[in-house]
Amino acid sequence: MEGKKFTTTWTIFRILAWIQVNRQARENALRCILPTRRSQVTQSLAWHPPPESWVQLHTDVSMNGLSGRAVAGGLLRDHLGRCVDAFTCNLGKCTITIAEP
């Protein structure tokens, strides 16, 4: 974001929020992929807005399997779905376990 300055605290907050969102997404994906033996799990994969005055962080990682290079990106959306802030990050050459914590 051109012209914007972020404090160390804000950067740490964004990183911790990104980690939390990724962990929750992985847990949700496992619940969808690995249903319990006696019941079928059905989950809607739709966007649900955060409460008013809150923002929601969305992140994703893309990796080239041949070169091992990865990039990450994300955005913050308000309760109306508007983009509040966005970021991209070149992760360089790494493994999938590093690219998706």
Side-chain angles (χ1 to χ4, degrees), residues 26-66:
R26 228 179 283 156
E27 288 173 16
N28 290 345
L30 285 175
R31 276 191 232 119
C32 289
I33 295 169
L34 304 172
T36 60
R37 288 182 183 176
R38 296 181 185 199
S39 66
Q40 183 177 0
V41 176
T42 305
Q43 184 174 6
S44 172
L45 298 177
W47 178 73
H48 300 286
E52 193 169 342
S53 80
W54 283 72
V55 293
Q56 197 171 64
L57 176 66
H58 301 268
T59 61
D60 199 6
V61 175
S62 180
M63 184 170 190
N64 182 313
L66 295 175

Side-chain angles (χ1 to χ4, degrees), residues 73-85:
L75 60 98
L76 291 166
R77 291 169 70 180
D78 67 10
H79 68 283
L80 297 175
R82 297 178 295 204
C83 180
V84 175
D85 198 2

